[in-house]
Amino acid sequence: MNSLKTYQNFYFVGIGGIGMSALARYFHASGKKVLGYDKTNTKLTQTLMNEGIDIVFEDVIDEKVTSLQKEDTLVIYTPAIKVLEILDYFSDHQFEVLKRAKVLGLITENTDCIAVAGTHGKTTTSTLISHLCKEADLPFSCFLGGISENFKSNFLYNGSQYSVVEADEYDRSFLNLSPDWAVITSTDADHLDIYGDKNTIEEGFRQFAALVPDNRQLFVRKGIEIGRPSLTYAVNEEADYYSDNLRMEGDQIYFDFHTPTETVKDFIWETPGIHNVENATVALAILHNLGVDFETLKKAIANFMGIKRRYTKHRYPDGKIYIDDYAHHPTEINAVLGSIRTFYPDKKLLMVFQPHLFSRTRDFADGFAESLSHADELILLDIYPARELQENFEEITSDWLLKKVTLDKKEALTLGEAFRKIKEKDFDILLTVGAGNIDTLYDPICDWMSGIQNTRMNEK
């Protein structure tokens, strides 16, 4: 194939995906013409259009497509899209058509790439590493799987020496990367529609780890066997790099950080959860190895604002709390619930969960049922199909999953019914969680809960 520098036009098929949109922003920032297609107009696609990127939402071969020349146009697609007339047109007319992961891999070949992999934790960890790089003013660009609250984007360009990328295991995409540094946060079973079983996905992570040239630049959470020497990190147990002495004062979490040769006390931030301190530990380890001083890192940790839909928390004057999170696997849900139960043990929790993918719901049904049973009350939404079809999973429904949940207070609803029902409930903490389009509840809930507070203030 040609060098990426050859192309002046970049057409993204599925441009509204979180990973695709970061790449689109990269080429747009590089002065290239970027356009694309997506099935649904979302907040993210609207933001891309406001930034000057041309997007269509109908699968038609229009003049924008036919005017493109194969000599100077690269077509980038996501494997989540299976059948599309636009994609067929580009293939039939011999355009260069590449998967997103392949293009991201080509970008990482020319930088010192810091790649973060793992079935859980990779978005927070890669975003935190990017934030620390920005605060240390390192020359880097980042491609993230979530919207950084600090950057207000999933992409940032601050130079080209380093690249920070979220290394996606789906479809073995991360094997296209050229990591100089890497993190492996977890290797739990997921994406069994691709890998088949836990042993195969673990082998995929071992293949990813083998891409890192230097043992001292591979950081693996303690307890994961990755098949080669590496540096380990942990929380509340000794490792090459670890954090301990965690304590909470108000909304702030304090912890001490240990390197192989020194201890740095009293890092402070407001991101809750032991799992997030674990993510911070490896981020600090990498930036320390890049030569950034601890004074800079302390300041950077303190002003980290998190990621949209990763434990996004709103506290209201009457004591009620609203938390929104992207968790879509039992392990992730357990981490969110663990944080809530640790810091708010006596508060009544209403949980609204939208399962993501029929196959994932089927493969982890018992785990989901156990996790969801730790709420006080549950609203279970219809399964978000993403790339799958209900007709291929006829028996896998939310009603089927709900029967496995041991709560007394539980019900299955459509997304359209959920907001009205939420407003009728009694709760101290409201948690919305899932990776589909449950995020459309976020603004109405925030407006409603803020409106309640304003009404009460006016009544006083």
Side-chain angles (χ1 to χ4, degrees):
M1 65 160 288
N2 296 326
S3 165
L4 289 177
K5 296 179 180 178
T6 303
Y7 302 105
Q8 298 304 309
N9 305 306
F10 292 82
Y11 194 102
F12 285 80
V13 181
I15 195 168
I18 194 71
M20 291 282 277
S21 59
L23 267 185
R25 282 169 156 156
Y26 170 79
F27 289 114
H28 184 64
S30 302
K32 305 296 185 179
K33 180 181 179 181
V34 176
L35 61 166
Y37 159 86
D38 206 277
K39 180 172 65 175
T40 307
N41 190 359
T42 64
K43 284 185 178 180
L44 183 50
T45 56
Q46 192 59 53
T47 302
L48 294 176
M49 289 188 287
N50 292 342
E51 293 171 3
I53 294 174
D54 194 350
I55 303 176
V56 298
F57 300 97
E58 293 185 14
D59 182 18
V60 294
I61 311 304
D62 59 13
E63 190 272 336
K64 293 177 183 177
V65 171
T66 57
S67 65
L68 296 171
Q69 303 299 313
K70 65 181 180 180
E71 292 79 15
D72 64 357
T73 302
L74 178 63
V75 180
I76 304 169
Y77 75 102
T78 167
I81 291 181
K82 308 298 183 186
V83 180
L84 202 70
E85 287 188 20
I86 292 174
L87 199 53
D88 290 341
Y89 172 88
F90 286 125
S91 297
D92 292 344
H93 288 77
Q94 288 80 52
F95 281 72
E96 188 77 57
V97 180
L98 297 178
K99 286 184 179 181
R100 179 195 71 89
K102 177 64 175 178
V103 177
L104 184 58
L106 293 171
I107 293 172
T108 64
E109 286 181 0
N110 299 312
T111 63
D112 291 330
C113 174
I114 305 169
V116 182
T119 47
H120 322 295
K122 59 181 175 287
T123 300
T124 300
T125 304
S126 56
T127 304
L128 183 52
I129 290 171
S130 301
H131 172 69
L132 299 182
C133 286
K134 177 66 167 62
E135 294 299 291
D137 199 25
L138 297 183
F140 81 105
S141 57
C142 62
F143 302 84
L144 307 174
I147 304 297
S148 161
E149 292 282 14
N150 291 89
F151 306 154
K152 305 303 180 187
S153 178
N154 56 344
F155 168 75
L156 185 71
Y157 183 85
N158 196 55
S160 58
Q161 180 178 347
Y162 300 99
S163 61
V164 182
V165 302
E166 183 169 327
D168 188 4
E169 73 277 5
Y170 177 71
D171 200 36
R172 295 179 173 83
S173 293
F174 57 3
L175 300 184
N176 290 281
L177 301 175
S178 299
D180 300 282
W181 302 74
V183 176
I184 297 177
T185 64
S186 54
T187 59
D188 291 345
D190 199 1
H191 301 301
L192 298 185
D193 54 326
I194 298 294
Y195 290 95
D197 56 42
K198 180 173 172 57
N199 290 335
T200 305
I201 194 169
E202 289 175 348
E203 175 58 27
F205 279 99
R206 285 192 286 272
Q207 293 172 0
F208 169 75
L211 300 175
V212 182
D214 190 333
N215 296 335
R216 295 166 298 178
Q217 294 178 190
L218 173 62
F219 295 77
V220 179
R221 184 173 61 80
K222 188 175 182 180
I224 296 175
E225 177 50 56
I226 208 63
R228 60 169 288 184
S230 66
L231 295 175
T232 60
Y233 69 95
V235 171
N236 290 333
E237 62 174 317
E238 290 190 8
D240 294 313
Y241 294 86
Y242 68 100
S243 296
D244 62 7
N245 194 24
L246 278 63
R247 63 264 188 214
M248 192 164 186
E249 298 181 13
D251 280 339
Q252 292 185 319
I253 295 178
Y254 289 67
F255 63 91
D256 299 341
F257 174 70
H258 303 264
T259 78
T261 60
E262 60 186 314
T263 295
V264 184
K265 292 184 176 294
D266 292 340
F267 279 85
I268 306 171
W269 71 345
E270 294 187 7
T271 306
I274 292 174
H275 61 293
N276 280 320
V277 176
E278 192 172 77
N279 297 332
T281 300
V282 70
L284 291 170
I286 286 180
L287 270 292
H288 172 65
N289 278 273
L290 293 180
V292 179
D293 63 273
F294 284 119
E295 182 179 355
T296 298
L297 294 177
K298 273 194 169 185
K299 291 178 181 177
I301 283 285
N303 65 30
F304 179 61
M305 297 167 60
I307 305 119
K308 286 187 184 297
R309 304 216 64 231
R310 267 59 172 194
Y311 209 94
T312 301
K313 184 175 71 172
H314 299 272
R315 183 193 295 273
Y316 297 93
D318 64 356
K320 289 188 183 296
I321 295 170
Y322 172 41
I323 297 169
D324 182 49
D325 196 272
Y326 189 74
H328 54 282
H329 184 284
T331 302
E332 297 166 344
I333 294 171
N334 287 336
V336 174
L337 291 175
S339 292
I340 292 172
R341 292 308 193 192
T342 297
F343 297 119
Y344 312 106
D346 301 321
K347 291 188 178 291
K348 183 178 180 181
L349 172 63
L350 170 62
M351 182 176 184
V352 185
F353 175 58
Q354 182 186 51
H356 185 267
L357 293 175
F358 300 111
S359 60
R360 181 182 285 122
T361 304
R362 176 200 62 199
D363 294 339
F364 302 103
D366 291 341
F368 279 124
E370 182 179 354
S371 298
L372 300 176
S373 296
H374 291 294
D376 294 302
E377 188 169 358
L378 172 68
I379 295 174
L380 185 61
L381 303 183
D382 287 344
I383 298 169
Y384 185 79
R387 56 187 176 270
E388 297 178 339
L389 299 174
Q390 175 77 74
E391 63 195 53
N392 297 326
F393 302 88
E394 290 184 357
E395 297 180 358
I396 309 303
T397 65
S398 289
D399 287 324
W400 170 80
L401 177 60
L402 191 68
K403 293 176 182 177
K404 296 176 176 289
V405 178
T406 59
L407 287 176
D408 292 329
K409 294 184 176 182
K410 60 180 181 179
E411 58 189 310
L413 298 173
T414 66
L415 178 64
E417 297 169 326
F419 182 51
R420 174 186 58 80
K421 184 65 71 169
I422 289 169
K423 292 192 289 184
E424 298 173 359
K425 299 293 186 180
D426 176 38
F427 59 85
D428 299 313
I429 299 176
L430 171 62
L431 169 66
T432 51
V433 63
N437 59 351
I438 190 175
D439 62 333
T440 58
L441 292 175
Y442 178 80
D443 287 340
I445 288 173
C446 288
D447 291 343
W448 167 64
M449 295 190 72
S450 296
I452 291 174
Q453 311 306 314
N454 293 334
T455 299
R456 288 175 178 169
M457 290 295 291
N458 292 332
E459 287 175 351
K460 292 180 179 180

